[in-house]
Amino acid sequence: MARVLVIGSTNVDLAVRVERHPSPGETLSARELHTSPGGKSANQALAAALSGAEVTFAAKVGRDAHADEALRLLRTSGVDLSRVEVVDEPTGMAFITIDDSGENSIVIVPGANGAWRPEDVRTLASAIADAEAVVCQGEIPAEVVDAVAVACRAASTRFVLNLAPVIDVARETLTAGDPLVVNQHEARLAADTLGIAPADDDSEMIRTVVAAGVPSLVLTRGADSTLLVSADRVDEIVSCPVDVVDTTGAGDAFVGAFVAKLADGADTRDAARYAAAFAADTVTRAGAQESYRRG
């Protein structure tokens, strides 16, 4: 089994369903409230485990009742939680509003996720060296993600960066991502960090990002196709058409499934085809982690 280390965030998601998203200043009544495990890193760790990888999850949770819920599905799916630390900050929370079309808006309260410090990365040196791939996202402080990129470079371990949400990481961290996984909005902000004037055409824009030193890039575009870019080619992976119920966690499902297959030796095209199908399946059910199924 391929060894994947996921470093980052875990939350408890509080999701409400509404007919439509409220306008500024407007109050709406929700039809239902649902509590479930979440957090981009935790979601990706679960998707990677369900896709066949041996996953270690490094995260921070609070000394509160939410911690058990945040880790519930990771624990039952066999993810190694020995690198999860309990801290004095509250467990992270995410407040999610989902409309009738399945689109969501999310507000994050970082809590314990914000307790990460660059020196914490030193304690993960052996886990980083043992992994085929290490995955980071933007829900922990930027200087921590920078430290992970440096540690991966020192250990010659593949570093996968999902720059979501976009945080102010160093240029060298962006160019360490192999791949850098972004959506269209995130790609434009990454281009700005690299000093590139963003182009209107997706293919042209991501080619310029790769030309600026990023080894490879994956551009996710929701229900549209995914673009894979390296120095010498651009591949398009067509998305699977499905009836959408809830898109929460779909991007994370793609990343986790993609990295699991990449770490196991698949080429980027095969890994992305698998990940696109895995992610498409999740949007046919409600919730983030609770919508994931073993691939």
Side-chain angles (χ1 to χ4, degrees):
M1 295 174 68
R3 295 183 300 276
V4 173
L5 172 63
V6 182
I7 301 173
S9 60
T10 182
N11 296 326
V12 171
D13 291 348
L14 275 68
V16 294
R17 284 198 163 271
V18 293
E19 179 181 356
R20 58 179 175 80
H21 292 286
S23 301
E26 183 180 17
T27 299
L28 295 179
S29 293
R31 289 198 293 270
E32 62 181 87
L33 168 67
H34 182 66
T35 303
S36 61
K40 294 191 71 63
S41 307
N43 295 347
Q44 292 173 15
L46 180 62
L50 294 177
S51 299
E54 180 182 325
V55 179
T56 298
F57 183 47
K60 296 181 186 292
V61 295
R63 306 178 191 278
D64 53 38
H66 293 306
D68 283 341
E69 174 64 10
L71 300 173
R72 173 171 56 88
L73 291 178
L74 295 175
R75 185 174 288 114
T76 59
S77 298
V79 173
D80 180 355
L81 301 178
S82 63
R83 301 287 185 159
V84 175
E85 181 185 2
V86 179
V87 298
D88 290 332
E89 297 294 327
T91 300
M93 302 288 288
F95 299 89
I96 305 170
T97 303
I98 307 160
D99 69 13
D100 280 349
S101 70
E103 292 299 325
N104 63 65
S105 61
I106 305 174
V107 176
I108 301 290
V109 180
N113 299 316
W116 276 97
R117 298 293 179 264
E119 52 267 28
D120 295 328
V121 177
R122 288 197 292 271
T123 69
L124 298 174
S126 61
I128 289 171
D130 287 343
E132 270 84 41
V134 174
V135 191
C136 260
Q137 313 74 20
E139 287 187 342
I140 58 175
E143 60 269 24
V144 178
V145 179
D146 291 340
V148 173
V150 170
C152 287
R153 188 179 296 112
S156 298
T157 298
R158 186 170 202 158
F159 174 62
V160 178
L161 176 59
N162 177 213
L163 196 64
V166 175
I167 54 177
D168 191 21
V169 296
R171 179 190 178 97
E172 292 77 15
T173 299
L174 287 180
T175 57
D178 188 17
L180 171 65
V181 184
V182 286
N183 63 24
Q184 290 155 299
H185 170 70
E186 294 154 0
R188 283 171 168 76
L189 292 176
D192 185 63
T193 297
L194 293 167
I196 298 166
D200 292 332
D201 178 72
D202 286 340
S203 295
E204 181 183 348
M205 174 184 62
I206 56 183
R207 279 193 183 97
T208 60
V209 171
V210 169
V214 175
S216 61
L217 185 146
V218 176
L219 183 72
T220 59
R221 302 191 292 179
D224 295 329
S225 60
T226 297
L227 298 181
L228 313 176
V229 188
S230 60
D232 57 354
R233 64 184 296 162
V234 176
D235 290 297
E236 183 175 8
I237 306 299
V238 177
S239 298
C240 309
V242 293
D243 293 325
V244 176
V245 172
D246 180 1
T247 61
T248 306
D252 299 331
F254 177 94
V255 173
F258 176 76
V259 173
K261 296 306 178 185
L262 206 61
D264 198 38
D267 68 26
T268 55
R269 287 162 292 176
D270 288 342
R273 289 188 191 100
Y274 170 86
F278 186 98
D281 179 64
T282 71
V283 305
T284 65
R285 293 179 291 276
Q289 291 182 30
E290 291 181 334
S291 70
Y292 296 2
R293 296 291 183 269
R294 193 170 296 277

